[in-house]
Amino acid sequence: MIKNSKCWKLKGNKMKIQNEICRNEQLYNSFLNPSLSNLGEFEKQIKKIIELIREQLTLSNIRIERTERKQYDEVVGNSFIPDKYNTDDEIIEKLGFYFQGLVKWNSPGVMINVNPPSMLLPIAANACCSLFNPNLAMDVPAGNLAYAELEVIKMLSDLVGWDYKKTGGLFTFGGKGTVLYAIRIGLNECVKNAKYDGLRNEKIKVFSTSQGHPCHYENCEWLGIGKNNCIRLPLTDEGTIDMEIAEEQMEKAIIDGNKIACIIVNGGSTLYTTIDQIDKMIDLRDRLVKKYNLPYVPHVHVDSVIGWAWLMFKEYDFQKNPLGFSDMARKELNYVYNAIRNIEKADSFGADFHKTGFTPYLSSVFIIKDKRKLFELGEEEQADLHELEFGLYAPFGYSLESSRAATSALSAWISLKQLGKEGYQKLIGTLVEAGCDMRNYFENAPYSRCANITAHGFAALAMLYPCELQEKKWRALNEFTEEELLSIAEYNHKFYLYMLDLQSKNKIDFALDYVSKHTTVGNIKIGVIKLYPMSPFCNSQFLSRFYIKFEDLLSKFNEIYDRLKLSDSPYRPKPFVTR
């Protein structure tokens, strides 16, 4: 019984509100009430927010229009916690500013990075799901959404060819998280009791690829292995790990007394969609274990957060080609599928649904062939799938996170169930068609070469040539003089900044990115223009119009090129990090 309370007093079996603070209806109406009678307010709030930004949405094909331009320090410096409660309408009115500048990824002209538009149903389902704030730490606060996580793991295991009763996994905080779990499990294998005693001055190496994502060595930093102990293996001319050099370096590491915790191979790089020779890496790993009688087995992880989606072509008949892909796209799709299907031989892989699954952020899943290795990161024995009952599914016991939003699994479940294999085939195929078309176009345009002509996926990298050097574009770069190379580098950089300035002023209806220092010749680094189609509306009809607009923009740029200063750009954003 509560006595002397300012808010409550006991009267019979009912509690009566006495204090004005406790009778604040506005405060209570900020929540879904127990009877759900104010659920309609939730719908009204969503409609009000959409109406607030509707006009801004139509002003630009690239972003929600930025009508207010402020410096960060101005906004942050004038931000304070209010003394009093604010109504829904008062807050919604202020939201408009924060929606400004958001990228309209659904627009075919937005070709910045591997960031897709989300399907509508996951967005709607996530909003409704958030009403109940589920946490996948365990099934008790997540309800039946725990099934969604396990179902996605099962469906992807089937796709790979693994026995789902033996596999395990969980949704985590992004592609970086999937790699972190792989390295952590590898540490657990090669340094027994590491979770209790730490690394104990053990010499640890993690092997990666020179074309791998920066998160490979960043995770080594976070785990205490050290950035310098993440060895980036050199590549062949095809962009895959050079297996002979890999064997030499791994043998040397073992002979020098190092333990190899993890070997990370590419399962679809951002710019080239490179798939390493997974089967050969597994064979190499197994030979080294046998040759040196290692008491552990190095963990092999496929960083396939982009390339996993090509597994959807598992049953596609590339000869009959029922979806009618062009010969060029069909060849690339078949090539990537034949490479990624060897993921079956690896120990684990990652999949980002917010990349090639067309869901909202955040939806990344780590999947491992032998779930016992994942469970061993925790303390308690975990129930097997056939033993699971409600209340027993508790990933928090072995996961890094104690808080995991269930919307990640829900989004992935919807993506797989709604699109199906054919839906994925059509979406991936459409974007590969666009990538092939753009690579071919910029390779043969009179003013450019394609810097990733051997790529297999969506991206196209265009190296532009100044007017006076366009007749020499077919020469190898090492045949240009130093002065000419500097001219090419400056030309590409200035064009990007010129284009960025126009984009920020809503004067063009496409948005491209820039890969700085993509190509190095001697001491000269040359950046290139990056085109990364992710909208399903980026088709041949759009590209035909886009090429005309691009050439027109380039012509206007040439007119002012000599007078343009780099400082003319309002800002110089750091290009997206690419895998």
Side-chain angles (χ1 to χ4, degrees), residues 68-107:
E68 300 177 72
R69 299 184 182 278
K70 299 180 179 180
Q71 295 295 323
Y72 278 97
D73 62 347
E74 177 188 355
V75 175
V76 175
N78 289 293
S79 186
F80 304 96
I81 300 174
D83 294 327
K84 300 291 185 179
Y85 178 89
N86 281 277
T87 64
D88 293 343
D89 288 344
E90 288 171 327
I91 297 299
I92 288 174
E93 184 180 354
K94 296 174 182 177
L95 283 179
F97 170 76
Y98 297 96
F99 277 85
Q100 292 179 24
L102 290 178
V103 180
K104 297 169 68 173
W105 299 105
N106 56 305
S107 170

Side-chain angles (χ1 to χ4, degrees), residues 320-379:
K320 294 182 179 179
N321 193 23
L323 295 181
F325 299 121
S326 68
D327 287 344
M328 189 161 36
R330 178 167 59 93
K331 174 185 174 184
E332 300 297 2
L333 290 166
N334 194 14
Y335 176 87
V336 174
Y337 169 69
N338 283 330
I340 196 65
R341 68 179 181 177
N342 286 318
I343 206 170
E344 177 187 8
K345 302 178 186 299
D347 297 315
S348 64
F349 70 95
D352 277 1
F353 282 85
H354 58 251
K355 286 190 174 73
T356 43
F358 302 89
T359 69
Y361 277 93
L362 184 68
S363 187
S364 296
V365 63
F366 168 77
I367 300 184
I368 188 168
K369 184 187 292 184
D370 184 352
K371 62 186 173 186
R372 293 173 301 178
K373 294 181 179 180
L374 178 61
F375 293 164
E376 286 171 1
L377 296 182
E379 298 290 337

Side-chain angles (χ1 to χ4, degrees), residues 170 172-173 177 180-181 377 395-404:
L170 77 175
T172 185
F173 59 88
L180 185 142
Y181 273 99
L377 296 182
F396 75 88
Y398 50 84
S399 66
L400 173 65
E401 311 98 322
S402 295
S403 303
R404 293 190 301 122

Side-chain angles (χ1 to χ4, degrees), residues 51-68:
E51 287 302 319
L52 180 72
I53 62 174
R54 186 184 297 276
E55 183 178 351
Q56 292 171 310
L57 282 171
T58 60
L59 295 177
S60 169
N61 290 327
I62 301 172
R63 297 176 182 269
I64 297 179
E65 176 68 358
R66 297 184 69 190
T67 56
E68 300 177 72

